[in-house]
Amino acid sequence: MAAIVCTLALLAGCAATPSKAPAQNQAVFYPRPPDAPRIQHLATYASARDLETGEAGGGLKDFLLGEEKLEEALVRPYGVAIFDGKIYVADSRAPGLAIFDLRARKFSLMTGSGSGRIQRPINISIDADGTKYVTDTARNQVLVFDRGENFLAAYGVKGEFKPVDVAIAGERLYVVDIEHHEVQVRDKRSGSLLFKFGRSGTDESQWLHQPTNLAIGRDGDIYVVETGNFRVARFTPEGKFVRHYGEAGQAPGQFARPKGIAIDRAGRMYVGDAAFQNVQIFDHDGRVLMAFGQPVENSPGLNLPAGVAIDYDNVPLFRRLADPKFSIEYLILVVSQFGPNQVDVFGFGKMSGAEYPPEEQRESKPPAR
């Protein structure tokens, strides 16, 4: 796997050859038959054209022909979030957040202004009230915007940290600081530092090394991707180490260049790997369940996957794109940093008439520490 030895920056990834266009009206499921499907690819968003036509997935034509204006297309996206029918994409090569309004079918760029000008966004997290927290690695701050995209505040001062991801838990913000190999915990209203945990290292006693992404589990624990240590570290909300998931390697359950992470309500953990070009799914005990995102037939796969997000609220907007027999429980959004399908939307669910293992009872139990 040549991608494993790529020497580019952790947050930039490595370039790869774009895949072919997906066949029209051809449903893509994971896992492949004869296994019962759990995930269906629903849509791709890469430019304004994907919204204007009403058919997501036109990004390949724009990518090959260069017809889309730069300000109407993604360049090098990383983080993603969806809220109230809008997909927000942190594009590290654009001065702002790309917004795909699914209801109005409009594309816009949220740049901020004045002291709230966005320079190099990497990740975004959106609170229940619509407040947006954006990590900006050019400003080295967390920028805060309200539901209407109005600038509210900037957390952090020059030289204090290099924030690359942020997650919300109650009144707290958990912020990954890749420069100091730690997680800062801040008050989400004032931005004041409450405490921090982690430091550079390769073993449990030293905790973190080159952390890039994080997620909050249903148990309240903090799951941090250590790209430099090829694993996921789990901590209590107060920063006490719990356990690790994964290690360096090429087998299922191992990592080469892990980045994005998300956790669903059943405790399943989704981890994207920019070297493997897929997303692996683990149960709450750390057992690998499956992987998805690889090319299938004439459908392009993930290309340098970075941000991963899970959403339950906007499922109705995508039901028409699912197979009529496939019932969607929630959405999975995955960002690819390169290629035509830069924001892929998948649906997690079950196919009517298919047989599935009796997992509901196990998944309903609280995650083990």
Side-chain angles (χ1 to χ4, degrees), residues 18-24 26 28 57-61 64 296-301 340-341:
S19 305
K20 296 180 180 180
Q24 291 293 323
Q26 178 180 331
V28 175
L60 179 64
K61 180 179 179 182
L64 295 177
V296 175
E297 298 172 355
N298 292 322
S299 174
N341 53 324

Side-chain angles (χ1 to χ4, degrees), residues 19-315:
S19 305
K20 296 180 180 180
Q24 291 293 323
N25 302 319
Q26 178 180 331
V28 175
F29 290 97
Y30 302 92
R32 302 298 290 168
D35 295 319
R38 293 310 306 259
I39 293 174
Q40 180 181 354
H41 181 268
L42 301 175
T44 290
Y45 298 94
S47 71
R49 184 166 302 187
D50 295 329
L51 291 170
E52 293 168 356
T53 62
E55 298 179 0
L60 179 64
K61 180 179 179 182
D62 302 328
F63 180 81
L64 295 177
L65 301 181
E67 294 182 356
E68 203 71 48
K69 291 187 292 185
L70 180 63
E71 64 269 21
E72 295 179 343
L74 298 175
V75 183
R76 186 60 64 87
Y78 192 102
V80 65
I82 183 170
F83 180 82
D84 194 25
K86 297 179 181 178
I87 299 175
Y88 293 81
V89 186
D91 192 335
S92 62
R93 294 287 182 86
L97 300 176
I99 304 176
F100 293 87
D101 189 327
L102 305 179
R103 295 191 179 95
R105 293 184 180 178
K106 291 183 179 180
F107 176 95
S108 61
L109 189 64
M110 174 184 157
T111 61
S113 60
S115 59
R117 177 73 65 178
I118 300 173
Q119 296 181 21
R120 190 183 301 140
I122 295 295
N123 265 306
I124 175 175
S125 185
I126 305 178
D127 210 347
D129 63 358
T131 303
K132 300 162 188 68
Y133 299 87
V134 180
T135 54
D136 191 314
T137 58
R139 295 184 50 150
N140 287 338
Q141 292 180 312
V142 177
L143 306 182
V144 187
F145 300 86
D146 66 14
R147 187 186 184 102
E149 277 77 71
N150 301 299
F151 175 67
L152 296 177
Y155 297 160
V157 296
K158 185 177 180 180
E160 183 178 4
F161 65 163
K162 194 174 190 68
V164 293
D165 198 10
V166 57
I168 307 163
E171 295 301 307
R172 290 177 173 180
L173 291 181
Y174 289 83
V175 186
V176 171
D177 179 0
I178 192 172
E179 183 173 342
H180 297 99
H181 309 280
E182 64 188 18
V183 174
Q184 291 197 5
V185 185
R186 293 174 174 261
D187 181 272
K188 76 175 183 181
R189 306 292 180 185
S190 66
S192 59
L193 180 65
L194 302 176
F195 63 94
K196 52 188 177 181
F197 58 89
R199 58 184 181 275
S200 180
T202 57
D203 57 27
E204 291 188 11
S205 64
Q206 294 174 308
W207 294 353
L208 295 176
H209 184 57
Q210 293 179 328
T212 53
N213 294 77
L214 80 167
I216 311 295
R218 67 169 185 170
D219 49 18
D221 282 358
I222 316 303
Y223 296 72
V224 185
V225 176
E226 296 183 73
T227 301
N229 272 340
F230 314 102
R231 65 193 184 190
V232 175
R234 177 176 167 187
F235 301 88
T236 68
E238 303 305 317
K240 180 181 178 181
F241 174 76
V242 177
R243 60 168 294 184
H244 286 128
Y245 300 86
E247 60 184 0
Q250 299 185 33
Q254 297 178 328
F255 301 116
R257 191 172 291 272
K259 289 188 177 180
I261 183 171
I263 301 175
D264 70 9
R265 292 174 180 172
R268 303 183 194 93
M269 180 172 66
Y270 290 71
V271 184
D273 197 304
F276 293 161
Q277 309 283 43
N278 67 10
V279 175
Q280 294 189 79
I281 309 176
F282 301 78
D283 69 12
H284 53 68
D285 293 320
R287 294 184 292 261
V288 63
L289 300 175
M290 62 172 285
F292 69 95
Q294 305 91 330
V296 175
E297 298 172 355
N298 292 322
S299 174
L302 302 178
N303 206 328
L304 300 183
V308 181
I310 286 175
D311 176 77
Y312 289 80
D313 299 330
N314 293 274
V315 169

